[in-house]
Amino acid sequence: MTADARRTDPALGAPAPVPGGPPGGSRRWMWLAAWPVVAALALSNEPAPLYVLWQGRFGFSAATITLIYAAYIAGLLVTLTFAGTLADRYGRRPVLLPGLALSLTAAVLFATAESVAVLGVARLLSGFAVGAVLAAGMAAVADLAPPGQKQFGGLVGSASMVGGAALGPMLAGVLSETLPHPTRLVFVVQTGLLLVALAVVLRMPLSRPGERRGERPGGGAEAEAGAGSAADTAPRRARRLVRIPSVPRPHRRTLLLSLAVLAPGMTATGFVLSLGPALLADLLDSDNRALAGGMIFLLFAAATGVQFAVRALRVRVLFILGAVLTTAGMAALVLATAATSVPLLLAAAVLAGLGQGSAQLGGLSTLSARIPATRLAEANAALTGGGYLMAGVLPVAAGYLSDAVGLTAGTTAFGIAVAVLVTAGAVAATRR
């Protein structure tokens, strides 16, 4: 990096954006930019260990739990239809700030919830928030990566997503078991984490959208050539703000093949998030929130750790690995319910996390390396939205099926369906 690129802004003591070039890229700011993603994703999963408490207080069924989770997915998917486009057109910060404000509002609603309806609204708002933060935040991490390290920036962004998802349920599980007011103080702590994230976003040395125009994450002609369709070279004003997120036409097959493996993997982890604590309570006849939060923490800690462990592998290998691990996780889930085995259930959670982490790293690394910066936030939204779409539908179906035929039979049917889908996705990905 040149001396000019390391100039600082005396008012903030932070690297100043370089006009016409990448925003003050540095490892320090790349890692700091990941914190808003961590904080928002922590909130998204914090309710999971607490459902057993709310369920006892409000008296709702397993299907209602999955519907509350689906409200989160719905909010996320709605936001992803425009958050990526807004972040590419107007900048990352104007999307991140409202996203964090919605997270703070959701935290207050969770802390004061006295009905299923309030839980649903809080879950919906947290979905809106996560959609905004994922689309803009993960692109900001890539923007602030040092020159020549955009792929590593994709790894950091992906790890921040699953790392936050691991942090939230662990905090909720432990704090709700050790502190008074188990469904309130957790979200007071979460509010503090979000306020720190807000301060980080206000100080991030992000360039204006016009300064990123024409920049390619890979820095070469290949990335520019890959974006060269008429739709992608059209003036920004000609593109609608609200639309289904996508990628430049030459890369759409890459996106679809990534989703073929990632979406079933995210569906497996979505099941653990929504019905995992209930299944654990059924096996143990216990509502220990620390254990439920620990199970979800293990899932996402595995998803985070595996991305650093396998980051040197080729994308195709990452997709195959993700499919194999997800299938193994579903096999362990089915066996766990049949044998009423808690160790097998924990193994299923870890394997599901490893599977999602591997597939997610493959997808996000591909996008960070190939998609132009002017479309990167939208591309991240397309990948994330496609994964969450399946992750919202199948767990809800499993919840209703479990109410009808029992949790064991519903879980078995779900595990078989996910294993079939991810295997078919891996076959399609390896053929291309």
Side-chain angles (χ1 to χ4, degrees):
M1 190 185 300
T2 65
D4 287 342
R6 293 192 298 266
R7 290 177 302 175
T8 59
D9 184 339
L12 297 178
V18 182
S26 71
R27 282 199 168 229
R28 172 176 173 266
W29 273 109
M30 176 184 67
W31 286 105
L32 283 173
W35 178 250
V37 180
V38 171
L41 266 294
L43 174 66
S44 74
N45 287 340
E46 271 172 347
L50 306 178
Y51 282 136
V52 289
L53 291 175
W54 286 317
Q55 190 174 20
R57 188 188 306 171
F58 304 138
F60 50 79
S61 66
T64 301
I65 294 176
T66 57
L67 283 176
I68 294 172
Y69 178 71
Y72 161 72
I73 300 293
L76 187 150
L77 292 175
V78 167
T79 307
L80 289 178
T81 62
F82 59 85
T85 310
L86 285 174
D88 285 334
R89 186 178 298 187
Y90 299 111
R92 315 311 190 198
R93 197 172 355 251
V95 176
L96 282 169
L97 292 176
L100 290 175
L102 287 170
S103 289
L104 287 165
T105 304
V108 171
L109 289 176
F110 279 127
T112 59
E114 292 297 338
S115 69
V116 175
V118 174
L119 289 178
V121 171
R123 218 54 182 113
L124 181 67
L125 291 181
S126 65
F128 291 150
V130 169
V133 172
L134 282 181
M138 293 171 69
V141 173
D143 289 343
L144 292 170
Q149 297 189 33
K150 296 300 181 184
Q151 187 167 357
F152 184 68
L155 167 61
V156 172
S158 178
S160 66
M161 175 182 173
V162 289
L167 175 65
M170 176 57 80
L171 276 178
V174 172
L175 295 181
S176 68
E177 286 284 352
T178 57
L179 296 178
H181 309 295
T183 60
R184 297 182 188 274
L185 292 184
V186 170
F187 298 104
V188 174
V189 173
Q190 176 61 36
T191 298
L193 301 181
L194 289 167
L195 290 174
V196 173
L198 194 63
V200 169
V201 171
L202 290 171
R203 293 173 62 93
M204 281 195 299
L206 294 166
S207 66
R208 293 182 296 273
E211 294 169 353
R212 286 197 314 269
R213 194 169 298 169
E215 180 194 349
R216 299 292 180 266
E222 292 177 352
E224 187 163 356
S229 70
D232 302 319
T233 57
R236 292 180 174 218
R237 292 179 183 175
R239 299 207 305 261
R240 291 177 296 165
L241 285 178
V242 179
R243 57 182 179 150
I244 297 175
S246 67
V247 297
R249 190 177 301 276
H251 301 301
R252 288 179 184 172
R253 185 180 295 275
T254 299
L255 174 65
L256 291 174
L257 293 176
S258 298
L259 282 172
V261 181
L262 176 59
M266 293 180 68
T267 302
T269 58
F271 178 87
V272 176
L273 277 172
S274 57
L275 288 181
L279 186 58
L280 190 62
D282 189 61
L283 293 177
L284 285 179
D285 194 23
S286 168
D287 63 352
N288 187 291
R289 279 95 62 193
L291 183 57
M295 178 181 67
I296 299 171
F297 173 83
L298 285 175
L299 185 158
F300 286 107
T304 304
V306 73
Q307 295 185 56
F308 288 93
V310 301
R311 65 183 184 273
L313 298 180
R314 290 165 40 185
V315 168
R316 179 175 296 186
V317 177
L318 289 172
F319 288 150
I320 295 173
L321 181 63
V324 170
L325 290 167
T326 299
T327 301
M330 294 301 94
L333 180 66
V334 171
L335 290 174
T337 57
T340 61
S341 169
V342 173
L344 276 174
L345 181 60
L346 295 177
V350 171
L351 287 166
L354 293 172
Q356 178 185 326
S358 300
Q360 184 171 300
L361 175 60
L364 288 173
S365 296
T366 300
L367 297 185
S368 294
R370 297 185 181 184
I371 305 300
T374 52
R375 295 288 301 276
L376 182 57
E378 185 184 356
N380 287 339
L383 183 69
T384 305
Y388 272 116
L389 181 62
M390 182 181 290
V393 173
L394 282 186
V396 171
Y400 276 100
L401 184 61
S402 297
D403 281 345
V405 301
L407 194 54
T408 298
T411 301
T412 300
F414 173 85
I416 293 171
V418 170
V420 170
L421 287 170
V422 78
T423 301
V427 169
T430 53
R431 285 184 175 180
R432 295 286 178 179

